């Protein structure tokens, strides 16, 4: 009788492995670890992937790290991708509603639309400069530290990158506000200066959010990114 009961055709395929010396030694080691400290995933969930997918239904195998860093926090790649896709769809819809709404409001005022478009173009350039690649870079560094078991390094990493990128975002925001008038004059749209002043602080706040998005993504937790994307879009839609 197998020491593990998966409940499908994997039992027959793996029966010799479950009786092998190396597996029995590994099983005893894991039992000691589970009884002496907190381990994720829970003991009864180790073979969940095999229980959910019989061997006869397997078409491809994707290997990767899926860290379980706390109770109730496990999250697979597919679920994370679906969450990001759904939040991205909501962001696109809210953006479309915003563009249609603002176009309707200023449709009779070509100058107002010109001021908004000019300021928004400068804003998107500075936002890209301040935040481009931040979540991906931080996520990669956090994931690497977790894979190597360097959990203390993660805390130091988030502290240092927060200071660096937040300071950089603040600097870009300050420069954008300081040079707003010269930029407005350069693009021959002096009145867009006021629009730029109002929109520039967003660069700083999004820089801060980008750091924490990358941190959570490194833990394979896409919920904060999805929620923050949606909240960001709703604030833009409501506050303009």
């Amino acid at each position: 009788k197998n020491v593990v009961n998966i409940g499908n055709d994997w039992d027959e395929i793996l029966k010799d492995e479950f009786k092998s010396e190396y597996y029995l030694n590994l099983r005893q080691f894991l039992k000691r670890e589970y009884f002496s400290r907190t381990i994720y995933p829970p003991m009864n969930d180790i073979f969940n992937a095999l229980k959910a997918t019989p061997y006869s239904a397997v078409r491809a195998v994707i290997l990767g790290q899926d860290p379980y860093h706390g109770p109730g926090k496990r999250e697979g790649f597919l679920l994370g991708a679906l969450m990001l896709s759904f939040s991205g769809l909501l962001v696109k819809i809210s953006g479309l509603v915003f563009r249609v709404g603002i176009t309707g409001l200023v449709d009779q005022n070509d100058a107002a639309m010109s001021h908004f478009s000019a300021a928004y173009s400068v804003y998107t350039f500075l936002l890209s400069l301040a935040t481009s690649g931040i979540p991906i870079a931080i996520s990669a560094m956090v994931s690497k530290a977790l894979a190597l078991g360097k959990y203390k390094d993660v805390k130091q990493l988030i502290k240092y990158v927060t200071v660096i990128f937040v300071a950089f975002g603040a600097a870009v925001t300050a420069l954008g506000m300081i040079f707003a008038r010269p930029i407005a004059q350069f693009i021959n749209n002096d009145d867009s200066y006021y629009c730029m002043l109002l929109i520039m602080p967003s660069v700083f706040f999004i820089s801060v959010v980008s750091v924490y998005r990358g941190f959570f993504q490194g833990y394979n937790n896409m919920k904060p990114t999805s929620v923050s994307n949606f909240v960001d879009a709703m604030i833009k839609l409501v506050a303009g």
Side-chain angles (χ1 to χ4, degrees):
K1 183 179 178 179
N2 289 346
V3 294
V4 176
N5 180 28
I6 296 175
N8 54 38
D9 51 1
W10 282 109
D11 289 319
E12 179 64 24
I13 294 170
L14 297 175
K15 64 179 182 179
D16 292 335
E17 295 297 323
F18 289 148
K19 296 176 183 177
S20 64
E21 182 179 359
Y22 86 87
Y23 175 78
L24 294 175
N25 290 335
L26 177 61
R27 180 181 173 84
Q28 290 303 314
F29 168 76
L30 287 175
K31 288 175 67 176
R32 291 194 300 270
E33 292 295 300
Y34 270 107
F35 287 124
S36 63
R37 65 189 70 191
T38 302
I39 305 289
Y40 295 100
M43 182 185 298
N44 295 329
D45 292 347
I46 293 178
F47 292 103
N48 273 1
L50 302 186
K51 292 178 180 179
T53 312
Y55 177 79
S56 58
V58 174
R59 296 295 178 268
V61 178
I62 300 176
L63 300 178
Q65 181 189 16
D66 190 9
Y68 292 70
H69 50 284
K73 294 184 179 179
R74 60 186 177 178
E75 184 176 301
F77 170 79
L78 181 59
L79 178 58
L82 288 174
M83 291 177 64
L84 289 177
S85 297
F86 182 68
S87 68
L89 177 62
L90 293 178
V91 169
K92 294 296 183 182
I93 293 173
S94 65
L96 176 62
V97 173
F98 173 73
R99 294 292 297 185
V100 171
I102 196 168
T103 300
L105 287 173
V106 300
D107 187 44
Q108 304 302 320
N109 190 334
D110 292 338
M113 194 62 188
S114 174
H115 303 334
F116 168 78
S117 298
Y120 197 77
S121 298
V122 175
Y123 160 75
T124 53
F125 171 74
L126 293 179
L127 182 63
S128 298
L129 181 65
T131 64
S132 180
I134 290 179
I136 296 175
I138 295 176
S139 174
M141 290 186 287
V142 170
S143 296
K144 182 178 180 180
L146 291 173
L148 297 175
K150 298 180 179 179
Y151 304 108
K152 292 183 178 179
D153 289 357
V154 175
K155 293 182 179 180
Q156 292 182 333
L157 174 66
I158 193 63
K159 181 172 66 176
Y160 293 142
V161 298
T162 298
V163 172
I164 293 172
F165 287 117
V166 169
F168 184 65
V172 172
T173 300
L175 289 174
M177 297 182 75
I178 292 171
F179 290 99
R181 188 174 293 281
I183 293 173
Q185 292 172 345
F186 178 76
I187 61 178
N188 296 319
N189 196 327
D190 291 358
D191 289 336
S192 65
Y193 162 71
Y194 301 102
C195 297
M196 293 183 196
L197 287 183
L198 289 174
I199 204 172
M200 284 304 162
S202 298
V203 175
F204 170 74
F205 291 115
I206 295 178
S207 297
V208 176
V209 171
S210 295
V211 171
Y212 288 96
R213 283 176 181 170
F215 174 71
F216 284 111
Q217 287 173 20
Y219 272 96
N220 202 28
N221 183 358
M222 303 302 173
K223 291 179 182 178
T225 298
S226 302
V227 172
S228 65
N229 283 340
F230 180 70
V231 171
D232 178 31
M234 288 299 100
I235 292 175
K236 288 179 181 177
L237 177 62
V238 175

